[in-house]
Amino acid sequence: MFISLKDRLQDPVVQELIEYATLPEPEHIESALKEYREQDALQLFGFEDEEQLVALIGFEKQGKEVQIKHLAVLPENRQKGYGRGIISEMISSVKPDVVTAETDEEAVDFYRNIGFIVYSLGEKYPGVERFHCVFEAEEEE
C-alpha cells in the first residue's frame, strides 16, 4: 500500500530508510527530515507490505516534472521489486510527464533497468561519479 509519511517523520523505520537514501551522518538525516517537515513542495511516501513499511520515496513535483530526492528499501526487502513498485505507484498517483533522479554508480543499473535513460555527470565529488536519470512517462491515449 502506497501511503504518505509526512506525519510519520519520527518513526524509527522512516528515519532508517532516510539514512539509507542519504549520507548516514545524523546531521544529514535530520536535515532531510527537516526539509520534508517544512517544505510543502516535498512529498514523502512509503510502501507497506503486510502492514510493514518496506520502502520510501521522497520527491518534489514542479509542474509536470518530478525529481526523486530519496529512494530506499530496507536491506532485507531488496531485490523483491519494492523500489520499482514504489516508483510505479508514485508515477500512477502523481502522473508526471518526466521523472528525474540523481544517483551514484551503485544504483545506476537499478534506474536503467526500469526504463530510465542515464547520463553521467562526471566526478561531482572527488572520486565519486554521479548520474542523472530521466524517465519520460508515456502519455495516456
Side-chain angles (χ1 to χ4, degrees):
M1 179 156 59
F2 192 63
I3 56 162
S4 174
L5 298 176
K6 280 268 206 175
D7 59 350
R8 291 176 53 182
L9 296 175
Q10 298 307 317
D11 182 325
V13 178
V14 171
Q15 293 182 8
E16 179 183 358
L17 283 162
I18 286 287
E19 180 178 343
Y20 293 128
T22 189
L23 296 173
E25 290 80 21
E27 62 269 16
H28 292 284
I29 299 162
E30 189 49 48
S31 174
L33 293 169
K34 183 177 186 221
E35 287 179 355
Y36 287 108
R37 215 177 356 264
E38 296 178 357
Q39 296 181 31
D40 290 338
L42 292 179
Q43 299 296 314
L44 188 64
F45 282 85
F47 192 82
E48 287 186 336
D49 189 14
E50 296 180 5
E51 298 182 20
Q52 199 72 17
L53 184 62
V54 295
L56 69 65
I57 186 168
F59 59 91
E60 182 174 14
K61 184 176 184 211
Q62 296 180 324
K64 294 296 274 175
E65 183 174 325
V66 165
Q67 180 184 16
I68 296 173
K69 300 283 194 179
H70 298 99
L71 177 67
V73 177
L74 290 174
E76 62 270 23
N77 289 295
R78 292 181 184 159
Q79 307 292 316
K80 295 180 181 178
Y82 290 118
R84 173 190 297 260
I86 201 165
I87 290 175
S88 177
E89 289 285 339
M90 182 273 294
I91 289 171
S92 55
S93 68
V94 178
K95 301 187 183 346
D97 289 344
V98 177
V99 179
T100 63
E102 183 180 312
T103 194
D104 56 19
E105 197 167 357
E106 188 179 323
V108 77
D109 284 338
F110 163 78
Y111 283 102
R112 191 177 281 125
N113 290 338
I114 61 172
F116 282 72
I117 298 168
V118 177
Y119 304 92
S120 175
L121 296 172
E123 268 191 41
K124 203 165 175 185
Y125 311 104
V128 180
E129 185 177 7
R130 298 290 292 174
F131 298 88
H132 181 67
C133 307
V134 180
F135 180 83
E136 295 194 21
E138 297 176 15
E139 292 186 31
E140 295 179 8
E141 306 265 333

